[in-house]
């Protein structure tokens, strides 16, 4: 059931997007998310979608992978659409909300498919440096976020194994009615939590064995270089943000 | 029920770039009321093969015949549920198969939505006895049992449906010697006493040499060999080519034959072989 959700899985090929500095990619993701917040116009959504498609082509990610990850969240998207419509009674707003979710999923999939988890950790650690002024360990924070992203495919794999076990005992999520599906999902939670906590404990032990400790100063094995391409992609995203906000204002 | 694979192919992630063909035109037969072993290196498709038997996965091409059931990509979903009453599958790690916080609730899981409570309680006591446990386990937390006990509870949970075929995926992994021995006895009881067809996936070739009737070797999704355990496990070259361990008894008897030309005969348990060698030495 969860096979189509591939958010978090790195897609190992060479492309211009793969070679960008992870810091620039995270900055661009933030700029993109801010852009999404400000627009409500279908044409602008369409242009953003076209921009994303160009990025996917440059990143050489198969479009079927992206479509599969959207389809994996289809029930969430449908739920958001219906919920928004019922609350606001405005079909435009409902479509906007659903479109935002789809674009967020697609863009963040590009980020995680083109950036290794350790590079995401590095980028987050660098970008969160202002928190050091408040004596917050940015290394730890970045590692927590990176491990959370890395664990998504593991949790999905675990969930699939549990669903298969249930199916062999007569509760098949795939072929059940709504009652059966709810039962399958609720009874999945107990083993999923227990196994996830156990895996987290094992990981913590493994890190301690390898002398990971918050009192020690850590360096980086490899330093990522900032190039002209990174400048260009960040400037491009800033321009998109400004242009789209202005377009939204003009349209209004 | 016999299980027959007829030119079965299976591909994960079909039609997308990361497609992976795991089974390639596999045709084999697993005999009824026998213990059938499936061996092969990691990633050879063993688990996928057995998942096809109870419909957890459906073949991309070909079909699997399980008694009167035909499992192919057109099978009706109601038939799959009926099939799962006949074919029980116990996965490698018991923790992934527990959904409740007491053994009683765990064993009743699945059946409680289809059967009356009184019948379930009777059946729970029966299956605990079948796996060598008793009613004192009913209120215990299955996640907190020992490895061997967890394994047995997982098997008991499948036996609740009284399946004709039981599939065990790596049943002895992580068990100590005592746990391993009691599990081997349980598998024998399932065959001889309860007349089940047992299918075992394992890397523990010494165990398989003791208990299996037929052995099927898979490698890279292809069926390499299929036959009686004596034929397959005594073909040392075949085992080495496919990166499969050689059972100690087979290795020893082969060495004696190569060095001394002496045929020690068919022994499947190391203790019987030692007794025979001791007798000769005496």
């Amino acid at each position: 059931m969860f096979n189509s959700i591939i958010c978090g899985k790195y897609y190992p090929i060479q492309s211009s997007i793969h070679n960008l500095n992870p810091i620039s990619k995270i900055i661009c993701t933030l700029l993109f998310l801010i852009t999404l917040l400000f627009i409500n116009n279908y044409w602008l959504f369409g242009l953003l979608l076209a921009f994303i498609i160009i990025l996917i082509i440059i990143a050489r990610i198969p479009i079927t992978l992206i479509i599969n990850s959207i389809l994996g969240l289809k029930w969430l998207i449908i739920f958001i659409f219906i919920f928004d419509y019922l609350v606001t009674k405005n079909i435009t707003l409902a479509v906007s909300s659903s479109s935002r979710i789809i674009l967020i999923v697609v863009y963040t999939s590009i980020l995680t498919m083109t950036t290794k988890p350790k590079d995401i950790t590095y980028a987050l650690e660098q970008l969160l440096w202002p928190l050091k002024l408040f004596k917050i360990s940015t290394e730890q924070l970045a590692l927590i976020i990176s491990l959370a992203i890395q664990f998504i495919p593991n949790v999905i794999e675990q969930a699939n194994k549990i669903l298969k076990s249930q199916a062999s005992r007569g509760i098949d999520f795939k072929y059940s009615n709504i009652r059966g599906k709810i039962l399958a999902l609720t009874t999945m939670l107990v083993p999923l939590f227990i196994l996830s906590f156990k895996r987290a404990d094992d990981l913590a032990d493994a890190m301690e064995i390898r002398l990971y400790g918050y009192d020690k100063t850590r360096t980086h094995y490899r330093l990522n270089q900032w190039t002209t391409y990174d400048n260009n992609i960040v400037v491009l995203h800033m321009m998109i943000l400004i242009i789209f906000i202005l377009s939204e204002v003009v349209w209004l | 029920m016999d299980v027959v694979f007829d030119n079965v192919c299976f591909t994960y992630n079909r039609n997308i770039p990361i497609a992976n063909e795991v089974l390639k035109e596999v045709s084999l037969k697993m005999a009824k009321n026998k213990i059938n072993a499936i061996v092969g290196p990691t990633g050879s498709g063993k688990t996928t093969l057995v998942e096809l038997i109870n419909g957890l996965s459906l073949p991309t091409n070909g079909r699997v015949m399980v008694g009167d059931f035909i499992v192919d990509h057109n099978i009706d979903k109601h038939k799959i549920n009926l099939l799962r009453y006949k074919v029980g599958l116990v996965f490698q790690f018991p923790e992934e198969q527990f959904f409740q916080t007491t053994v009683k609730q765990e064993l009743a899981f699945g059946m409680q939505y289809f059967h009356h409570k009184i019948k379930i309680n009777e059946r729970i006591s029966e299956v605990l006895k079948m796996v060598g446990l008793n009613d004192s386990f009913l209120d215990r937390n299955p996640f907190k049992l020992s490895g061997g006990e967890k394994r047995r509870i997982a098997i008991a949970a499948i036996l609740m449906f009284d399946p004709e075929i039981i599939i065990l995926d790596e049943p002895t992994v992580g068990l100590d010697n005592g746990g391993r021995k009691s599990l081997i006895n349980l598998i024998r009881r399932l065959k001889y006493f309860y007349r089940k067809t047992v299918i075992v996936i394992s890397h523990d070739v010494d165990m398989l040499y003791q208990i299996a009737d037929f052995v099927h070797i898979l490698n890279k999704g292809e069926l390499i060999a299929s036959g009686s355990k004596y034929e397959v496990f005594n073909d040392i070259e075949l085992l080495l080519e496919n990166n499969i361990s050689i059972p100690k008894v087979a290795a020893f008897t082969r060495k004696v034959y190569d060095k001394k030309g002496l045929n020690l005969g068919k022994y499947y348990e190391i203790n019987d072989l030692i007794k025979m060698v001791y007798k000769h030495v005496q």
Side-chain angles (χ1 to χ4, degrees), chain B residues 166-182:
Chain B
I166 296 175
I167 305 170
L168 303 168
D169 192 346
E170 298 283 3
T172 57
V173 155
L175 295 182
D176 59 19
N177 199 38
R180 186 174 166 276
K181 275 187 184 161
S182 63

Side-chain angles (χ1 to χ4, degrees), chain A residues 129-136:
Chain A
W129 70 263
L131 291 176
K132 282 188 179 169
L133 301 169
F134 301 100
K135 305 250 190 271
I136 294 172

Side-chain angles (χ1 to χ4, degrees), chain B residues 1 33 85-87 162-166 195-198:
Chain B
M1 294 163 102
N33 295 337
Y85 275 99
K86 305 285 182 190
V87 182
D162 195 19
E164 292 178 39
I165 299 173
I166 296 175
R195 311 294 297 156
K196 307 288 182 200
T197 302
V198 183

